[in-house]
Amino acid sequence: MHSITTQDISNLEKMATTLRFLCADIVQEANSGHPGTPMGLAEFATTLSYHINLNPKNPKWLNRDRLVFSGGHASALLYSLLHLWGFDLSLDDLKSFRTLHSKTPGHPESSLTQGVEITTGPLGQGIANAVGFAMAAKYAQNLLSKSVISHKVYCFCGDGDLQEGISYEAASLAGKYKLSDLIIIYDSNSITIEGDTRLAFDENVKLRFEAQGFDVLLCDGHNFLDIQEAIIAAKSNTTKPTLIIAKTIIGKGAIGLEGSEKTHGSPLGENVIAESKKAANFPQEKFHIPDDVRFWFQNTQEKMQSLEALWEKSLDSSAKTMLESLRNPDVASIQYPQFTIGESIATRASNGQILNAIAAKLQGFIGGSADLAPSNNTTIKNSGDFPHGKNFHFGIREHAMGAICNGIANYGLFLPFCATFFVFSDYMSPSVRVASIMKSRVFYIWTHDSIGVGEDGATHQPIEQLGHFRAMPNLLVFRPADANENIACWQVALESSAPCAFVLSRQNLPVLEVCDKSKISKGGYIIKDASNPQSPQITLIATGSEVALALECAKALESESITTRVVSVPCFDLLIQQDKSYIDSLLGGKVLGIEAARGLEWFRFCDEVVCMQDFGHSAKGEIVFQHCGFTIANITNKAKTLLNTH
């Protein structure tokens, strides 16, 4: 559809009006939600329907266009479109908006609703997700060719998305990497919850995005000819990402409320909807969809089934082989490095060798660091840089990096990893949380894991982060004790269906015994049993760098005839999934936890915990450990005191 006739405009107006009131009815039925943005975007969404390539019969078709709603509160519009386009979302599903166990939750969730590409909640995340989709597509083009991967990535966003800092980070990367298949549609209605955006936001968005390397187009978001021209121009751009600034009116068509912030987050009310439908000469019936409108919406997608068939037919044998290897990575073929028991190596360093071993066998294992690759040990050797190689340079942009990796993971071909210092994981937390909700397979490499960081001081020494991420459902947090545990942790992680984090030491640690992944799969195991395994007087539980310390403490206690068991727990999250009998088999006598972090979660198992009571200090790592009580003398004294406590 490249030219619009008078009849086309008449049809488009009827489609947009239907879409507008369908969204209003959805929100009103739930008595909860956000009608303003969906109503304001009705014309743009209707026009986009004639351009976007999707196949409702196969929602996971690889070469489909991706559509992201960064403003997830506009979910009523997304659900209405999916229904009208012919996805598996019924009218009854629309009527169940925001109800328990429905396919139409308040914000889009990819695991619940067919056609929803990615879960978007916090504002700004979706822009970075869309950049992630576009980066994945660009990398895929270089693997498979532009004839195989030729789709677009569309993203609806609003003023709130652009005020969040993550949008600056993500757009900067999109411009840097010239992601020409990315089209961001900015719903510029100049309204946020508190009122006019000028209260807190009056920058020149056009100049901002142009400075970041975007082509910026302006259009009247209610004028079909303007919208059509902008979309065609954006699709034709082969050198830059595009931002379309669509000037719209929030709550368009809502009598008495049009243009008001009152339409943002509350139902319009039955009377307003009735008056608005009357003014638009639209039937009063709730959820009314005229037959011709339903036909027009679904007819735009009928071509997609034949288009996908032609695409499948065009794939040559090499493309099919590559796609098979990407979709079904052969993790059993990975040849992990070998480490010598007794040698000394930081887990960040052993992890670097492991990453390279994985990348050598898995074509889809890609990623990078937030400008810390030399410290994180995350460079994939002899591989080159994105978009042609596996090494992604995210720059100092942890927030966007996390959300971009969510997009890469949800693209359907790749296993992304991303890295930074553990203390800066705070910047990534919203993205990690959304990945955990989706169970997206993202691998986080977080190095410099404790007070062992040393001289950089309290600002760089993570204390509370371990507890925070262990508390996050669906996220597996691994803190390996040594290089061999590190290998086994990766073996478990690559077979899991959840996002995984690796929390790794800066300082060198002794290589301990070879560790089987079956031990890691249960979260914790006995790494050294007591001289009398049937009745240990005390059990020391430790993770990461503190395991070696616990083993030294056990020697000291055993020398004083105190039977001592040591349990290594590389993954607290997996341990708490085990049945009581297994956990009881690990613990004997009094239980003392040792961890150079806040450690409050260990009281679930321990009688006492040697942990951090405050933030860290600036000094050499070993001195900070001594000052904070992580010494053989202090821990053995704690153990003996605990034994004497009744």
Side-chain angles (χ1 to χ4, degrees):
M1 179 178 153
H2 290 275
S3 60
I4 297 181
T5 66
T6 302
Q7 184 59 52
D8 288 332
I9 290 178
S10 177
N11 293 349
L12 287 166
E13 286 175 345
K14 188 172 182 180
M15 293 168 72
T17 300
T18 301
L19 183 59
R20 177 174 288 118
F21 287 123
L22 182 58
C23 293
D25 284 340
I26 288 170
V27 174
Q28 190 63 45
E29 181 76 8
N31 197 28
S32 174
H34 303 75
T37 296
M39 296 178 75
L41 278 172
E43 284 86 2
F44 206 113
T46 296
T47 310
L48 183 63
S49 294
Y50 283 90
H51 291 272
I52 194 167
N53 292 331
L54 302 168
N55 186 359
K57 303 301 182 185
N58 181 13
K60 295 300 183 182
W61 174 39
L62 179 60
N63 201 37
R64 71 191 182 278
D65 291 334
R66 269 61 170 182
L67 176 61
V68 178
F69 272 64
S70 191
H73 57 269
S75 58
L77 177 58
L78 177 56
Y79 298 144
S80 296
L81 287 170
L82 293 176
H83 170 73
L84 291 168
W85 286 339
F87 284 82
D88 183 21
L89 203 65
S90 69
L91 201 58
D92 284 339
D93 290 325
L94 300 188
K95 294 176 182 178
S96 300
F97 182 56
R98 288 183 167 232
T99 61
L100 187 64
H101 304 312
S102 77
K103 293 182 183 179
T104 51
H107 286 71
E109 295 189 39
S110 57
S111 62
L112 298 178
T113 315
Q114 185 190 84
V116 173
E117 294 288 355
I118 198 160
T119 298
T120 49
L123 289 173
Q125 285 275 326
I127 293 177
N129 297 155
V131 172
F133 280 133
M135 289 179 75
K138 190 154 191 170
Y139 184 68
Q141 284 176 349
N142 286 312
L143 286 179
L144 297 159
S145 84
K146 290 186 178 181
S147 63
V148 176
I149 304 296
S150 58
H151 66 82
K152 301 296 180 183
V153 178
Y154 296 96
C155 176
F156 280 112
C157 74
D159 293 293
D161 296 290
L162 296 188
Q163 289 177 52
E164 292 286 1
I166 189 172
S167 69
Y168 286 83
E169 296 182 17
S172 178
L173 277 169
K176 155 66 181 171
Y177 290 124
K178 296 178 171 47
L179 304 180
S180 58
D181 291 323
L182 174 65
I183 301 171
I184 299 177
I185 301 150
Y186 168 32
D187 174 32
S188 179
N189 59 34
S190 301
I191 292 292
T192 57
I193 292 173
E194 293 182 358
D196 195 294
T197 52
R198 287 175 295 182
L199 288 168
F201 185 63
D202 59 4
E203 67 189 53
N204 189 319
V205 172
K206 180 177 185 292
L207 291 181
R208 165 184 157 188
F209 274 81
E210 286 176 341
Q212 291 184 299
F214 276 68
D215 192 16
V216 180
L217 307 173
L218 307 176
C219 78
D220 178 343
H222 303 299
N223 183 300
F224 293 108
L225 292 172
D226 258 17
I227 297 167
Q228 170 80 346
E229 185 178 331
I231 294 175
I232 291 172
K235 289 171 63 177
S236 301
N237 197 324
T238 60
T239 59
K240 295 180 179 181
T242 302
L243 176 74
I244 300 175
I245 301 178
K247 193 60 187 173
T248 62
I249 300 171
I250 194 170
K252 174 73 172 174
I255 299 299
L257 293 176
E258 186 179 272
S260 168
E261 69 273 10
K262 293 179 181 178
T263 68
H264 171 75
S266 301
L268 300 179
E270 299 284 2
N271 292 337
V272 171
I273 291 177
E275 289 180 27
S276 302
K277 287 181 177 179
K278 182 178 179 182
N281 196 28
F282 190 81
Q284 291 291 323
E285 176 192 348
K286 289 184 179 180
F287 299 96
H288 178 68
I289 303 172
D291 290 341
D292 52 359
V293 167
R294 185 178 291 281
F295 172 78
W296 291 329
F297 270 108
Q298 292 193 2
N299 190 48
T300 62
Q301 302 311 317
E302 289 300 319
K303 61 181 180 181
M304 285 304 106
Q305 292 179 60
S306 59
L307 189 63
E308 181 181 352
L310 289 172
W311 178 83
E312 288 281 356
K313 190 176 180 179
S314 72
L315 297 178
D316 60 25
S317 59
S318 63
K320 290 179 179 178
T321 300
M322 176 64 75
L323 286 172
E324 175 63 23
S325 68
L326 291 169
R327 288 167 168 158
N328 299 289
D330 184 9
V331 297
S333 69
I334 299 169
Q335 297 176 343
Y336 290 96
Q338 293 184 338
F339 300 98
T340 303
I341 294 175
E343 73 172 304
S344 189
I345 183 171
T347 48
R348 65 166 172 163
S350 62
N351 196 71
Q353 295 183 43
I354 295 166
L355 289 181
N356 274 271
I358 297 169
K361 293 295 184 179
L362 306 187
Q363 182 65 55
F365 189 71
I366 56 178
S369 175
D371 195 51
L372 289 168
S375 292
N376 297 145
N377 290 87
T378 51
T379 300
I380 304 303
K381 298 176 183 177
N382 304 315
S383 178
D385 297 330
F386 174 83
H388 300 284
K390 292 190 173 195
N391 292 293
F392 284 52
H393 296 280
F394 293 104
I396 304 130
R397 302 181 182 92
E398 284 90 354
H399 199 355
M401 176 176 71
I404 285 170
C405 283
N406 287 350
I408 295 172
N410 277 43
Y411 188 77
L413 292 179
F414 305 116
L415 296 173
F417 67 87
C418 56
T420 188
F421 290 173
F422 190 30
V423 75
F424 302 146
S425 64
D426 288 346
Y427 285 175
M428 300 177 63
S429 184
S431 303
V432 178
R433 186 175 189 273
V434 177
S436 299
I437 290 173
M438 294 187 289
K439 296 186 178 179
S440 294
R441 298 186 70 194
V442 181
F443 301 94
Y444 307 101
I445 314 299
W446 291 327
T447 69
H448 297 58
D449 68 336
S450 73
I451 56 175
V453 171
E455 292 90 339
D456 280 332
T459 62
H460 281 54
Q461 294 171 15
I463 302 298
E464 72 281 10
Q465 284 77 10
L466 261 176
H468 167 62
F469 286 109
R470 282 171 176 160
M472 196 173 283
N474 301 336
L475 175 67
L476 299 181
V477 181
F478 296 96
R479 189 174 182 236
D482 74 328
N484 285 326
E485 265 197 9
N486 206 359
I487 290 174
C489 287
W490 270 105
Q491 290 173 323
V492 171
L494 287 170
E495 293 179 358
S496 76
S497 58
C500 298
F502 289 79
V503 181
L504 308 168
S505 75
R506 175 199 185 197
Q507 71 275 26
N508 288 338
L509 302 175
V511 176
L512 306 173
E513 64 184 50
V514 175
C515 182
D516 187 87
K517 71 176 182 180
S518 63
K519 296 177 178 178
I520 305 298
S521 67
K522 293 186 175 181
Y525 65 98
I526 298 171
I527 192 169
K528 178 213 168 288
D529 215 338
S531 54
N532 182 359
Q534 302 305 315
S535 56
Q537 293 172 272
I538 192 160
T539 298
L540 304 179
I541 292 184
T543 76
S545 56
E546 290 78 76
V547 173
L549 175 60
L551 291 169
E552 292 298 318
C553 291
K555 287 182 185 177
L557 290 167
E558 287 277 359
S559 71
E560 297 183 43
S561 300
I562 299 172
T563 56
T564 307
R565 174 181 291 167
V566 179
V567 173
S568 175
V569 183
C571 188
F572 181 90
D573 311 278
L574 289 174
L575 180 62
I576 62 177
Q577 295 175 19
Q578 307 309 308
D579 56 39
K580 186 176 182 297
S581 62
Y582 179 74
I583 293 172
D584 287 346
S585 73
L586 299 181
L587 308 178
K590 296 288 187 178
V591 181
L592 178 65
I594 309 168
E595 191 166 68
R598 196 70 182 96
L600 299 180
E601 62 271 24
W602 288 112
F603 286 98
R604 181 169 185 161
F605 304 115
C606 301
D607 298 294
E608 187 59 73
V609 182
V610 178
C611 58
M612 293 298 295
Q613 304 299 323
D614 204 339
F615 294 104
H617 306 272
S618 178
K620 289 187 180 298
E622 59 269 25
I623 293 175
V624 180
F625 269 107
Q626 291 171 13
H627 178 77
C628 295
F630 294 93
T631 64
I632 295 172
N634 181 57
I635 292 168
T636 54
N637 284 336
K638 291 275 188 183
K640 286 183 273 190
T641 300
L642 188 59
L643 285 172
N644 293 325
T645 302
H646 298 286

